[in-house]
Amino acid sequence: QVTLVESGGGLVQAGASLSLSCALSGRTSGRTLSFYLMGWFRQAPGKEREFVAAINQSGGITIYADSVKARFTISRDNAKNTVSLQMNSLKSEDTAAYYCAADQSLRGSPSKTASSYDYWGQGTQVTVSS
């Protein structure tokens, strides 16, 4: 069973920065993070889960939701089995629980669709006060 654990959430003021991290562990059948396409999603109270950013296995392909483009940066360190989300210029509308997800398919590019991901973390809360 693959386990994903997010960290780095918190309460910040609008305009501040925050960095989230996601660590992969557990029974991965020998697969390290480098095997998986990785994504970040978020869910605000009363709203559906929405795509934030995703990255392919090598880190050479990244995609973003329009709402976070130019403010958020996804990256990965396969040697450390971690994927990160650097969030700058945070806005109150960024307030949500943020989830890390892993896609074990062999598709060439990361997906924006939640159903494409096989494993999910428990989430970390990000609250941005205005």
Side-chain angles (χ1 to χ4, degrees), residues 77-115:
D77 186 335
N78 288 335
K80 295 182 178 180
N81 265 354
T82 59
V83 62
S84 299
L85 184 68
Q86 176 64 40
M87 305 184 294
N88 298 328
S89 302
L90 283 162
K91 305 175 181 179
S92 57
E93 51 262 45
D94 294 319
T95 295
Y98 283 71
Y99 298 89
C100 173
D103 174 357
Q104 66 181 357
S105 75
L106 297 178
R107 74 181 89 248
S109 297
S111 173
K112 295 183 177 181
T113 305
S115 60

Side-chain angles (χ1 to χ4, degrees), residues 40-42 50-54 63-66 68 72 85 98:
W40 285 95
F41 290 76
R42 67 187 182 187
E50 66 172 359
F51 169 76
V52 176
I63 55 174
Y64 297 92
D66 288 342
V68 306
F72 290 11
L85 184 68
Y98 283 71

